[in-house]
Structure formats: C-alpha cells, structure tokens
Coordinates of all heavy atoms in Angstrom, one line a residue:
A69 N 16.2 -1.2 6.1 CA 15.0 -1.9 6.6 C 13.8 -1.3 5.8 O 13.8 -0.2 5.4 CB 14.8 -1.8 8.1
Q70 N 12.8 -2.2 5.6 CA 11.6 -1.7 4.8 C 10.4 -2.2 5.5 O 10.3 -3.2 6.2 CB 11.6 -2.3 3.4 CG 12.8 -1.8 2.6 CD 12.7 -2.3 1.1 OE1 12.3 -3.4 0.9 NE2 13.0 -1.4 0.2
N71 N 9.3 -1.4 5.3 CA 8.0 -1.8 5.8 C 7.0 -1.6 4.6 O 6.9 -0.5 4.1 CB 7.6 -0.9 7.0 CG 6.3 -1.5 7.7 OD1 6.2 -2.7 7.8 ND2 5.5 -0.7 8.2
Q72 N 6.4 -2.7 4.2 CA 5.4 -2.6 3.1 C 4.0 -2.6 3.7 O 3.6 -3.6 4.4 CB 5.6 -3.9 2.2 CG 4.7 -3.9 1.0 CD 5.2 -3.1 -0.1 OE1 6.3 -3.1 -0.5 NE2 4.3 -2.3 -0.7
V73 N 3.3 -1.5 3.5 CA 1.9 -1.4 4.0 C 0.9 -1.5 2.9 O 1.0 -0.8 1.9 CB 1.8 -0.1 4.8 CG1 0.4 0.1 5.4 CG2 2.8 0.0 5.9
T74 N -0.1 -2.3 3.1 CA -1.2 -2.4 2.2 C -2.4 -1.7 2.8 O -2.8 -2.1 3.9 CB -1.6 -3.9 1.9 OG1 -0.4 -4.5 1.3 CG2 -2.7 -4.0 0.9
L75 N -2.9 -0.7 2.1 CA -4.1 0.0 2.5 C -5.3 -0.7 1.7 O -5.2 -0.8 0.5 CB -4.0 1.5 2.1 CG -5.3 2.3 2.3 CD1 -5.7 2.4 3.8 CD2 -5.2 3.7 1.7
T76 N -6.3 -1.0 2.5 CA -7.5 -1.7 1.8 C -8.7 -0.8 2.1 O -9.0 -0.4 3.2 CB -7.8 -3.1 2.4 OG1 -6.6 -3.9 2.2 CG2 -9.0 -3.7 1.8
A77 N -9.5 -0.5 1.0 CA -10.8 0.2 1.1 C -11.8 -0.9 0.9 O -11.9 -1.4 -0.2 CB -10.9 1.3 0.1
S78 N -12.7 -1.2 1.9 CA -13.7 -2.2 1.8 C -15.0 -1.4 1.6 O -15.4 -0.6 2.5 CB -13.8 -3.1 3.0 OG -12.6 -3.8 3.1
F79 N -15.8 -1.7 0.5 CA -17.0 -0.9 0.2 C -18.2 -1.8 0.2 O -18.2 -2.9 -0.3 CB -16.8 -0.3 -1.2 CG -17.9 0.7 -1.5 CD1 -17.9 2.0 -1.0 CD2 -18.9 0.3 -2.4 CE1 -18.9 2.9 -1.4 CE2 -19.9 1.2 -2.7 CZ -19.9 2.5 -2.2
S80 N -19.3 -1.3 0.8 CA -20.6 -1.9 0.9 C -21.6 -1.1 0.2 O -21.8 0.1 0.5 CB -21.0 -2.2 2.3 OG -22.2 -2.8 2.4
Y81 N -22.2 -1.6 -0.9 CA -23.1 -0.8 -1.7 C -24.5 -0.6 -1.0 O -25.0 -1.6 -0.5 CB -23.3 -1.5 -3.1 CG -22.1 -1.4 -4.0 CD1 -21.1 -2.4 -3.9 CD2 -22.0 -0.4 -4.9 CE1 -20.0 -2.3 -4.7 CE2 -20.9 -0.3 -5.8 CZ -19.9 -1.3 -5.6 OH -18.8 -1.2 -6.4
T82 N -25.0 0.6 -1.1 CA -26.4 0.8 -0.6 C -27.4 0.2 -1.5 O -27.3 0.3 -2.7 CB -26.6 2.4 -0.5 OG1 -25.6 2.9 0.4 CG2 -28.0 2.7 0.1
N83 N -28.5 -0.3 -0.9 CA -29.6 -0.9 -1.6 C -29.3 -2.1 -2.5 O -30.1 -2.4 -3.4 CB -30.3 0.2 -2.5 CG -30.9 1.3 -1.6 OD1 -31.4 1.0 -0.5 ND2 -30.9 2.5 -2.0
A84 N -28.2 -2.7 -2.4 CA -27.9 -3.9 -3.2 C -28.6 -5.1 -2.5 O -28.5 -5.3 -1.3 CB -26.4 -4.2 -3.2
S85 N -29.3 -5.9 -3.3 CA -30.0 -7.0 -2.8 C -29.8 -8.2 -3.8 O -30.2 -8.1 -4.9 CB -31.5 -6.7 -2.7 OG -32.1 -7.9 -2.2
P86 N -29.1 -9.2 -3.4 CA -28.4 -9.4 -2.1 C -27.3 -8.4 -1.9 O -26.8 -7.8 -2.8 CB -28.0 -10.9 -2.1 CG -27.8 -11.2 -3.5 CD -28.8 -10.4 -4.3
A87 N -26.8 -8.4 -0.6 CA -25.7 -7.4 -0.3 C -24.5 -7.6 -1.3 O -24.2 -8.7 -1.8 CB -25.2 -7.7 1.1
L88 N -23.9 -6.5 -1.6 CA -22.8 -6.5 -2.5 C -21.6 -5.6 -1.9 O -21.9 -4.5 -1.4 CB -23.2 -5.9 -3.9 CG -22.2 -5.8 -5.0 CD1 -21.6 -7.2 -5.3 CD2 -22.8 -5.1 -6.2
G89 N -20.4 -6.0 -2.1 CA -19.3 -5.3 -1.6 C -18.1 -5.4 -2.6 O -18.1 -6.2 -3.5
S90 N -17.1 -4.5 -2.4 CA -15.9 -4.6 -3.2 C -14.7 -4.1 -2.4 O -14.9 -3.5 -1.4 CB -16.0 -3.7 -4.5 OG -16.1 -2.3 -4.1
T91 N -13.6 -4.5 -2.8 CA -12.3 -4.1 -2.1 C -11.3 -3.5 -3.1 O -11.3 -4.0 -4.2 CB -11.7 -5.2 -1.3 OG1 -11.3 -6.3 -2.1 CG2 -12.6 -5.7 -0.2
H92 N -10.6 -2.5 -2.7 CA -9.5 -2.0 -3.5 C -8.3 -1.8 -2.6 O -8.5 -1.5 -1.4 CB -9.9 -0.6 -4.1 CG -11.1 -0.7 -5.0 ND1 -10.9 -0.9 -6.4 CD2 -12.4 -0.6 -4.8 CE1 -12.1 -1.0 -7.0 NE2 -13.0 -0.8 -6.1
T93 N -7.1 -2.1 -3.1 CA -5.9 -2.0 -2.3 C -4.9 -1.1 -3.0 O -4.8 -0.9 -4.2 CB -5.3 -3.3 -2.0 OG1 -4.9 -3.9 -3.3 CG2 -6.2 -4.2 -1.3
R94 N -4.0 -0.5 -2.1 CA -2.9 0.3 -2.6 C -1.7 -0.1 -1.6 O -1.9 -0.6 -0.5 CB -3.1 1.8 -2.5 CG -4.0 2.3 -3.6 CD -3.3 2.0 -4.9 NE -4.2 2.4 -6.0 CZ -3.8 2.3 -7.3 NH1 -2.6 1.8 -7.6 NH2 -4.6 2.6 -8.2
S95 N -0.5 0.2 -2.1 CA 0.7 -0.2 -1.3 C 1.6 1.0 -1.1 O 1.8 1.7 -2.0 CB 1.4 -1.3 -2.1 OG 2.5 -1.8 -1.4
D96 N 2.2 1.1 0.1 CA 3.1 2.1 0.4 C 4.4 1.4 1.0 O 4.3 0.5 1.8 CB 2.6 3.0 1.5 CG 1.4 3.8 1.0 OD1 1.4 4.2 -0.2 OD2 0.5 4.1 1.8
L97 N 5.5 1.8 0.5 CA 6.8 1.2 0.9 C 7.7 2.2 1.5 O 8.0 3.2 0.9 CB 7.5 0.6 -0.3 CG 8.9 -0.1 0.0 CD1 8.8 -1.3 0.9 CD2 9.6 -0.4 -1.3
T98 N 8.1 2.0 2.8 CA 9.0 2.9 3.5 C 10.3 2.1 3.6 O 10.4 1.0 4.1 CB 8.4 3.2 4.9 OG1 7.2 3.9 4.7 CG2 9.4 4.1 5.6
T99 N 11.4 2.8 3.2 CA 12.8 2.3 3.3 C 13.5 3.2 4.3 O 13.5 4.4 4.2 CB 13.4 2.2 1.9 OG1 12.7 1.4 1.1 CG2 14.9 1.7 2.1
V100 N 14.3 2.6 5.2 CA 15.1 3.3 6.2 C 16.4 3.7 5.5 O 17.1 2.9 4.9 CB 15.4 2.5 7.4 CG1 16.3 3.3 8.4 CG2 14.0 2.2 8.1
G101 N 16.6 5.0 5.5 CA 17.8 5.6 4.9 C 17.6 7.1 4.8 O 16.6 7.6 5.2
A102 N 18.6 7.8 4.3 CA 18.4 9.2 4.1 C 17.3 9.5 3.2 O 17.1 8.8 2.2 CB 19.7 9.8 3.6
P103 N 16.4 10.5 3.5 CA 15.3 10.8 2.6 C 15.8 11.0 1.2 O 16.8 11.7 0.9 CB 14.7 12.1 3.2 CG 15.1 12.0 4.6 CD 16.4 11.3 4.7
G104 N 15.1 10.4 0.2 CA 15.5 10.5 -1.2 C 16.5 9.4 -1.6 O 16.8 9.3 -2.8
S105 N 16.9 8.5 -0.7 CA 17.9 7.5 -1.0 C 17.4 6.1 -1.2 O 18.2 5.2 -1.2 CB 19.1 7.6 0.0 OG 18.6 7.1 1.2
A106 N 16.1 6.0 -1.2 CA 15.5 4.6 -1.3 C 16.1 3.9 -2.4 O 16.2 4.4 -3.6 CB 14.0 4.7 -1.4
G107 N 16.5 2.7 -2.2 CA 17.1 1.8 -3.3 C 18.6 2.1 -3.5 O 19.2 1.4 -4.3
L108 N 19.2 3.0 -2.8 CA 20.6 3.3 -3.0 C 21.4 2.6 -1.9 O 20.9 2.5 -0.7 CB 21.0 4.7 -3.0 CG 20.3 5.6 -4.1 CD1 20.6 7.1 -3.9 CD2 20.7 5.1 -5.4
T109 N 22.6 2.1 -2.2 CA 23.4 1.4 -1.2 C 24.8 2.1 -1.1 O 25.4 2.3 -2.2 CB 23.6 -0.1 -1.5 OG1 22.3 -0.7 -1.7 CG2 24.3 -0.8 -0.4
L110 N 25.3 2.3 0.1 CA 26.6 2.9 0.2 C 27.6 1.8 0.3 O 27.5 0.9 1.1 CB 26.6 3.7 1.5 CG 27.9 4.6 1.7 CD1 28.0 5.6 0.6 CD2 27.8 5.3 3.1
V111 N 28.6 1.8 -0.6 CA 29.7 0.8 -0.6 C 31.0 1.4 -0.7 O 31.2 2.6 -1.1 CB 29.5 -0.2 -1.8 CG1 28.2 -1.0 -1.7 CG2 29.6 0.6 -3.1
K112 N 32.1 0.7 -0.2 CA 33.5 1.2 -0.3 C 34.1 0.4 -1.5 O 34.0 -0.8 -1.5 CB 34.2 1.0 1.0 CG 33.8 1.9 2.1 CD 34.7 1.8 3.2 CE 34.3 2.8 4.3 NZ 35.2 2.9 5.4
S113 N 34.8 1.2 -2.3 CA 35.5 0.5 -3.4 C 36.9 0.1 -2.9 O 37.4 0.4 -1.8 CB 35.6 1.5 -4.6 OG 36.4 2.6 -4.3

C-alpha cells in the first residue's frame, strides 16, 4: 500500500502592491513493507 503526500508552501510577499503570492510543492511517498524494501515484491518461483 502507498500514500502519496504533497506538501505545499504558500507564500505571500510583504509590501507587494497589488498582493502577490507563490506556491511551491514537494512530494513524499510512503510504501508499506519492510524498511528499505520500497519497490520490491516477494514472489515464489
């Protein structure tokens, strides 16, 4: 199972006229499994 989280930083500039803002994003992906095994699958041959 996975959870994809987007972190957003919303910025409002001081003294901007008219008002001005910007956004920046980053992404974190958590995968359920043994630590260090993200992307690996256990199969039987």
Side-chain angles (χ1 to χ4, degrees):
Q70 294 185 322
N71 195 38
Q72 182 80 49
V73 179
T74 300
L75 172 68
T76 300
S78 300
F79 188 79
S80 177
Y81 290 85
T82 300
N83 296 326
S85 180
L88 178 63
S90 67
T91 58
H92 295 273
T93 60
R94 287 296 176 180
S95 181
D96 295 323
L97 177 65
T98 300
T99 302
V100 177
S105 68
L108 300 178
T109 305
L110 189 62
V111 296
K112 288 190 177 189
S113 67

